[in-house]
Amino acid sequence: MDVSFLGGPREQRGIGVVAPFDFALDRELWRWVPDDVSLHLTRTPFVPVEVSLDLARLVSEHETLGDAVRALNAVAPEVVAYACTSGSFVGGVAGERAMCEAMTRAGAVPSLTTSGALLDALQELGARRIALVTPYTVSVTQSLEEYLAEAGISVTGRSSLGLTRHIWKVPYRDVVTMARYAARTAADALFISCTNLPTYDVIPQLEAELRIPVISANQVTMWAALRQLGTRAVGPYQRLMDQSARGGPVLPEEQEGWA
């Protein structure tokens, strides 16, 4: 069969993604990606450690990052994204910058992390006070708050699950319940942490209900990586992607009566 008339396949641009060994939401990342961009994922080596600060440090070691990025070099991505929130905030702001530098040295392309992308997204939205949702234990959540405080971001309310495994199994209803609880106090935006926590479909619903921008770990990672390519993420009715959908913070009196 002559298929020369098809003229394809269409040329693709590539984003390299370094994810922890237990990352389970590959499909969610793809939902923010336009058709002319491909994701090339690789994972850090398995370690027998549950979700904790120790695990965050292990999956973000510079040697581990370098090996992952060198593996990605074979498919020549234009940018590399480290898709793990805890692994990129555990070393503070300086540690996050050092991770980007280590990945760039290994791949000779621009590099970013989820936590760095979070700060960029908050700046884009003009948000300095945020409500925080995490699936983490208290110690991991506190580490995230310390990272945010170092960057000048205050947390007005929080909700966490205390999980140490199987975070990707958390249903949307639990994410929504946590978001409502965390956002009881006025905030400029709400952040849902952890790249293993599913969020894509609940973002528009929560933005409509809470009337503040709602951003998540996977969303900001893909937004920042695609922005580095000079293109836009696909996220219908998500304020980070659509400036016309952005509004001001919710006043405390407007939040009375929420569950």
Side-chain angles (χ1 to χ4, degrees), residues 25-93:
L25 298 182
D26 304 53
R27 174 60 187 152
E28 174 157 294
L29 289 184
W30 278 95
R31 297 181 73 181
W32 278 286
V33 178
D35 289 342
D36 61 342
V37 176
S38 286
L39 299 181
H40 309 302
L41 278 87
T42 189
R43 283 168 169 76
T44 62
F46 170 78
V47 289
V49 179
E50 292 184 326
V51 177
S52 61
L53 291 176
D54 287 339
L55 178 61
R57 295 184 184 102
L58 287 169
V59 297
S60 60
E61 292 177 341
H62 289 192
E63 183 178 355
T64 297
L65 298 178
D67 289 344
V69 174
R70 281 187 285 272
L72 289 169
N73 287 346
V75 291
E78 295 180 52
V79 61
V80 172
Y82 176 74
C84 177
T85 325
S86 61
S88 52
F89 67 62
V90 70
V93 171

Side-chain angles (χ1 to χ4, degrees), residues 60 72 117 154-155 168 182 200 218 228 240 249 259:
S60 60
L72 289 169
S154 61
V155 174
W168 66 88
Y200 187 93
N218 283 328
Q228 185 68 49
L240 181 61

Side-chain angles (χ1 to χ4, degrees), residues 118-119 122 130 132 144-153 155:
L118 165 61
L119 297 185
L122 293 175
I130 68 168
L132 182 62
L144 172 54
E145 291 196 44
E146 290 167 4
Y147 172 82
L148 290 166
E150 189 180 354
I153 305 298
V155 174

Side-chain angles (χ1 to χ4, degrees), residues 178-240:
M178 286 194 296
R180 288 170 175 163
Y181 183 87
R184 291 178 302 167
T185 303
D188 301 325
L190 181 141
F191 173 58
I192 306 171
S193 190
C194 190
T195 54
N196 241 350
L197 192 64
T199 58
Y200 187 93
D201 292 307
V202 299
I203 291 173
Q205 172 189 336
L206 285 172
E207 289 190 328
E209 179 178 338
L210 302 177
R211 287 180 282 173
I212 55 175
V214 174
I215 57 178
S216 74
N218 283 328
Q219 181 205 45
V220 299
T221 305
M222 290 296 95
W223 167 80
L226 288 159
R227 189 170 70 159
Q228 185 68 49
L229 293 187
T231 189
R232 299 181 64 179
V234 178
Y237 310 110
Q238 297 179 15
R239 295 192 194 190
L240 181 61

